[in-house]
Amino acid sequence: MTLRRPALRRLRATPQQLLYHHNHTIPDLAAYAQLLALESRWPRAEADALEAEAPPFSDLRELLAALDDRLRAEEAAPSDSERFIAEQATRAQFAHIAGQFAVDGLVESQSHLGILPRLPRRARMAVMRVLIDEFGCGNEAREHAGLYVRLMVELGLSTDPFEHAAHACEETLAYVNLFHWLASRAPTPDYFLGAYAYFESSVLYGFRCYAAACERLGIEAGQYYSEHLHIDSFHSRDMIAALRAWDHEHGADLAKVWAGVELTRATVARATDAAVLAARTASAAEARTETST
């Protein structure tokens, strides 16, 4: 996958575009200062607020029980956006939504790598087992980013993530920018471990709408979604193991772990809603244009 410089140069306008640009280049001193300043406003400020509001968990077991309750409640009540994707989105609307998330899918899990040197051995190995799968165990045909490339090709879209970033919603850019902060610059790994434990578990129901849409619309490259529905049950267990290992070796800061859960949940929900709204708005504009001509 080639990242074309013309698209890269366009990522200089909005806060999330700037973060995306800095997260995918080697910043100089001034750019790194700007990156830290942007992250202090988001996601750090939101993480701090969520940490202050976290329940007073007595131990990790109690937090994991609360996480399980949250996941079960979400699975039982799909959002309006998820139902739209599964049941109503046209092929053009689905392509627009997939294009919004291409900023993440085309570079999937690359943002997570910064967490590895920050973890002790047992927690690091649990996270590594997840990342090995994300990168296809070294098999280009199985790498998740490669599966997303095939989806983009079938939908007739660019395979350059910077092309998509130049037109993406702030909320979908935040979806990938978040994990750069969690992995590399959050004050402690607690945030990342809570975030990723939530994310890998929530994908087991969160991606069902995309898999259903691919089946309904006859999209053959839906393996990107079906693969996650199969493999993330293992990833969910590995991330719980990583949390337990971190707690055993360091004593997890439960408020920060929960802040990671809540921050990721809110970011994913906002991104999904924004992508669906953008797709519906674009299709309505196209319909008006066709009517007027």
Side-chain angles (χ1 to χ4, degrees):
M1 178 171 55
T2 301
L3 304 181
R4 292 185 288 277
R5 288 289 165 181
L8 178 59
R9 286 197 296 269
R10 290 201 292 272
L11 303 183
R12 304 294 176 91
T14 68
Q16 294 298 336
Q17 282 190 339
L18 283 167
L19 282 176
Y20 195 86
H21 177 273
H22 292 322
N23 282 326
H24 293 83
T25 57
I26 301 175
D28 58 18
L29 186 61
Y32 195 68
Q34 183 183 55
L35 167 65
L36 295 179
L38 287 165
E39 288 184 332
S40 72
R41 294 192 287 274
W42 187 92
R44 181 63 191 269
E46 186 173 356
D48 287 347
L50 292 168
E51 181 183 348
E53 297 167 0
F57 297 113
S58 59
D59 55 27
L60 182 61
R61 181 179 299 180
E62 187 176 336
L63 183 149
L64 292 176
L67 174 58
D68 188 59
D69 289 342
R70 169 62 55 77
L71 293 165
R72 289 177 184 273
E74 286 186 354
E75 182 177 11
S79 70
D80 290 342
S81 294
E82 290 169 329
R83 287 194 294 270
F84 174 80
I85 293 168
E87 301 169 6
Q88 300 177 45
T90 65
R91 187 182 180 91
Q93 289 170 330
F94 182 84
H96 194 104
I97 294 165
Q100 284 286 324
F101 284 110
V103 293
D104 176 65
L106 291 172
V107 294
E108 183 156 335
S109 297
Q110 293 176 24
S111 59
H112 301 18
L113 295 173
I115 196 63
L116 295 176
R118 304 181 66 190
L119 295 173
R121 181 179 60 84
R122 288 178 59 206
R124 183 170 64 250
M125 290 302 97
V127 174
M128 179 62 81
R129 288 193 294 273
V130 177
L131 294 181
I132 285 171
D133 284 339
E134 300 288 346
F135 290 104
C137 300
N139 182 343
E140 290 184 28
R142 303 292 296 178
E143 183 196 21
H144 289 183
L147 297 178
Y148 214 89
V149 167
R150 294 209 287 274
L151 177 66
M152 293 291 96
V153 170
E154 182 175 348
L155 294 174
L157 300 175
S158 171
T159 59
D160 182 348
F162 285 106
E163 289 285 350
H164 293 283
H167 307 287
C169 303
E170 285 287 273
E171 294 86 351
T172 51
L173 288 168
Y175 180 91
V176 62
N177 286 335
L178 173 62
F179 271 95
H180 281 280
W181 178 78
L182 289 166
S184 299
R185 289 178 292 278
T188 76
D190 299 89
Y191 298 95
F192 177 93
L193 293 171
Y196 210 24
Y198 165 81
F199 185 78
E200 290 295 331
S201 299
S202 67
V203 164
L204 290 168
Y205 54 83
F207 271 22
R208 287 176 189 164
C209 62
Y210 298 97
C214 287
E215 183 175 357
R216 175 173 58 82
L217 296 169
I219 296 170
E220 296 180 1
Q223 184 184 1
Y224 173 81
Y225 304 110
S226 60
E227 176 77 4
H228 282 82
L229 295 177
H230 163 69
I231 206 167
D232 280 10
S233 59
F234 301 101
H235 293 178
S236 175
R237 290 198 291 271
D238 279 328
M239 286 312 304
I240 297 302
L243 257 176
R244 286 177 172 148
W246 174 254
D247 185 50
H248 177 75
E249 297 186 44
H250 280 266
D253 187 321
L254 301 179
K256 289 180 171 61
V257 171
W258 192 251
V261 169
E262 291 287 79
L263 179 58
T264 304
R265 182 191 65 80
T267 302
V268 171
R270 290 192 292 255
T272 305
D273 288 344
V276 167
L277 178 60
R280 299 182 77 165
T281 301
S283 64
E286 290 170 5
R288 287 195 297 272
T289 301
E290 290 176 2
T291 301
S292 64
T293 57

